[in-house]
Structures are given as C-alpha cells and as structure tokens.
Amino acid sequence: MIKKIFALIFLITIILVVGNEVDKKISAQKVEEISAGPKILVLNYHQVNNNFTPLAVPVNSFADQMNYLVDGGYVSITPDELAEGLAGDITLPEKPVLITFDDGYIDNYTNAFPILKALGLRATIFVIPASIGKSGYMTWDNLKEMEKSGVTIQSHTMNHTKLEELPDDEIRKELLDSKTVLEDNLGHPIEFLAYPTGTYNLHIAGIARDVGYKAAFTVKYGNVDLGSNMYALERVPIFQTENTMKSFYERIEYRQSFEEFGWIKK
C-alpha cells in the first residue's frame, strides 16, 4: 500500500512538473507571437476647434499631427481592417493607425474632415444617436457625406450613459438601440463600439459581444496587438496641453517603449 502511495505521489509530481514546463513553453510562444505580430496605433480625439477646452485639439495642431503621421509613413486603417489584421486574415501596413473620434461633434465635420480628406486619411467616428442633429453635433447628412470619403461611423451607445451604473437590461438597450438606429439610417452593419468615458468591465464586454459587436474600444493607453482583448482595445487619447504637438509626439512614440518594458499592458 505504501509503495502504491509513493508511486501515486511520484506520478502526480511528474505530471505537475511536465505541465508547468508546457505552460512555460506556451507562454513563451505567446509572447514571441505578440512581439512579432502587428502593433496598431489607435488615436482617440473628441473635438477639433480653437476653444481651448481640454477635449479640444486646436485646428492647426490637428493638421500638424495628421501631417506628422503621413510624413512618418503611417497608413490609416478601418476597424474592420484592424480586426482582420489581428485575426491574420489580411496583412496590415507596417505602420497602421486607426484615427478615432468620440461623440460626433460638429467640428469633426467642419474642421477635422477637410484635413483628413486633403491628406487621404481615413477615420472612424463613434457617435451618440440621441445627439445627432442637436446643437453642437453632426447631422445625418454630415455623417453620410463623410462615409462617402473614407470615414466610418460606429457606435458610442444611444445616450452616452455610464454603462457601469446601469442594470443589465438598460445596458443591453443602450448598446442595441444605438446599433439599430445607426444601421437603419446609414444602411450598413454597426459592429464596433467605444465605451462612454472609456469605462467598462468584463460583464459589459460580454453583453456587447452578445448583441453583435465584433470589438469595443476603451481609453486604456497602449498599442493594440495580438495580446489585446477585442472587447477592451487600447487607444492613445489626444488632448490639448501647454504644448499639444510635443505631447502628441511623446504619447505616440513612447507608448511602445512603455509596453516593451512591461510598464503598461504586459
């Protein structure tokens, strides 16, 4: 009996040791895959105007930032291309950038859109259907015109309510109503979401997946890569500062170093 017990203990020990080594190997392989895979810069803007509020980037600064991207060899992509690139279905450009705006302010159309169009850059705007056509926000005609010139419209929930404060049925309604209204008015699938204020939890992410979103964006700082959660995708928020261009440069050029040293995601 004692021999059998020792034999069983020995067998369990071997299994644990081997299992641990396998886990280490899988983990190392995963790290290598992430390191070798695509690194996608996702920028997050709100307003583009000269009102000198925290959410607003001055028009000239925005133009300088977009020119910096073009001169630096960045290629603008769509949310679908981001998802397909991470899935391995397409090959992304060497320096992909997804330019995003939240809320749907009118200056996205009057100030940002002409700059993007002149430079041949594509962008994505996460809009709030309940605000469309209201003072300070874009109209349906604005959105439709922009979509003809490389701008993708996606969801920022129906009313921009903090989802973490809502019961499940209201979370589902916020996500689904926005999706439905945008699809009915724009005539194409709405499959990407930006969480209001960038806040979320795994439960909310699960509801977003269940109602038909392919992915969702936060304001968690960092690259999007193969290690990213598709329902908690990173972005780099861009705001006005004392030196807006310097801040922009530092945020997009330093972010990869932060991650490589393990200071952010890894």
Side-chain angles (χ1 to χ4, degrees):
M1 175 65 72
I2 294 176
K3 288 183 178 180
K4 289 183 179 179
I5 292 173
F6 277 118
L8 182 59
I9 293 172
F10 177 75
L11 179 60
I12 292 172
T13 302
I14 292 297
I15 292 171
L16 291 174
V17 169
V18 172
N20 188 46
E21 290 303 314
V22 170
D23 287 342
K24 285 181 180 178
K25 186 175 181 181
I26 292 172
S27 178
Q29 288 174 342
K30 184 65 175 177
V31 170
E32 289 177 5
E33 288 174 6
I34 293 170
S35 179
K39 305 289 186 295
I40 304 167
L41 169 63
V42 184
L43 299 176
N44 173 218
Y45 293 92
H46 287 78
Q47 299 174 332
V48 179
N49 61 51
N50 297 320
N51 293 338
F52 301 102
T53 61
L55 284 180
V57 172
V59 178
N60 287 342
S61 294
F62 180 76
D64 289 344
Q65 291 169 11
M66 296 301 102
N67 276 291
Y68 179 88
L69 295 175
V70 172
D71 293 342
Y74 284 91
V75 177
S76 57
I77 64 172
T78 67
D80 273 316
E81 288 170 340
L82 178 146
E84 291 168 4
L86 291 176
D89 296 331
I90 64 170
T91 300
L92 290 169
E94 183 179 349
K95 297 177 74 172
V97 59
L98 177 62
I99 303 166
T100 72
F101 298 80
D102 286 359
D103 302 334
Y105 296 105
I106 186 62
D107 57 54
N108 294 181
Y109 174 74
T110 57
N111 296 335
F113 180 45
I115 294 169
L116 294 166
K117 194 173 180 181
L119 293 172
L121 290 169
R122 295 177 292 174
T124 298
I125 304 179
F126 296 100
V127 300
I128 308 161
S131 297
I132 294 172
K134 292 185 177 180
S135 178
Y137 292 89
M138 290 183 286
T139 66
W140 288 110
D141 285 342
N142 297 152
L143 300 178
K144 291 173 182 177
E145 179 185 344
M146 294 173 83
E147 285 211 314
K148 293 177 181 178
S149 298
V151 175
T152 301
I153 305 302
Q154 295 292 331
S155 171
H156 201 30
T157 73
M158 190 67 193
N159 296 285
H160 200 268
T161 305
K162 289 185 178 179
L163 299 178
E164 291 176 314
E165 299 177 356
L166 300 178
D168 283 7
D169 59 335
E170 291 186 31
I171 294 172
R172 185 176 294 271
K173 182 174 174 60
E174 278 289 322
L175 299 179
L176 194 53
D177 284 1
S178 175
K179 191 175 190 301
T180 302
V181 170
L182 291 172
E183 288 177 344
D184 288 347
N185 282 274
L186 298 175
H188 64 76
I190 299 297
E191 298 176 315
F192 298 90
L193 168 72
Y195 299 111
T197 72
T199 57
Y200 72 101
N201 56 42
L202 292 178
H203 182 66
I204 293 169
I207 296 175
R209 181 193 61 235
D210 291 345
V211 301
Y213 289 99
K214 283 183 180 178
F217 293 83
T218 68
V219 289
K220 183 171 61 173
Y221 179 79
N223 283 318
V224 169
D225 60 25
L226 294 177
S228 297
N229 181 335
M230 290 300 292
Y231 291 90
L233 293 172
E234 297 82 1
R235 291 192 288 179
V236 178
I238 305 296
F239 299 111
Q240 182 174 199
T241 66
E242 290 183 0
N243 190 329
T244 301
M245 192 61 199
K246 179 174 181 288
S247 298
F248 171 81
Y249 173 80
E250 290 173 346
R251 291 183 75 78
I252 70 169
E253 294 299 337
Y254 294 174
R255 79 193 194 289
Q256 183 159 334
S257 296
F258 290 162
E259 291 191 350
E260 287 175 351
F261 281 101
W263 295 340
I264 302 204
K265 179 166 51 182
K266 306 191 179 50

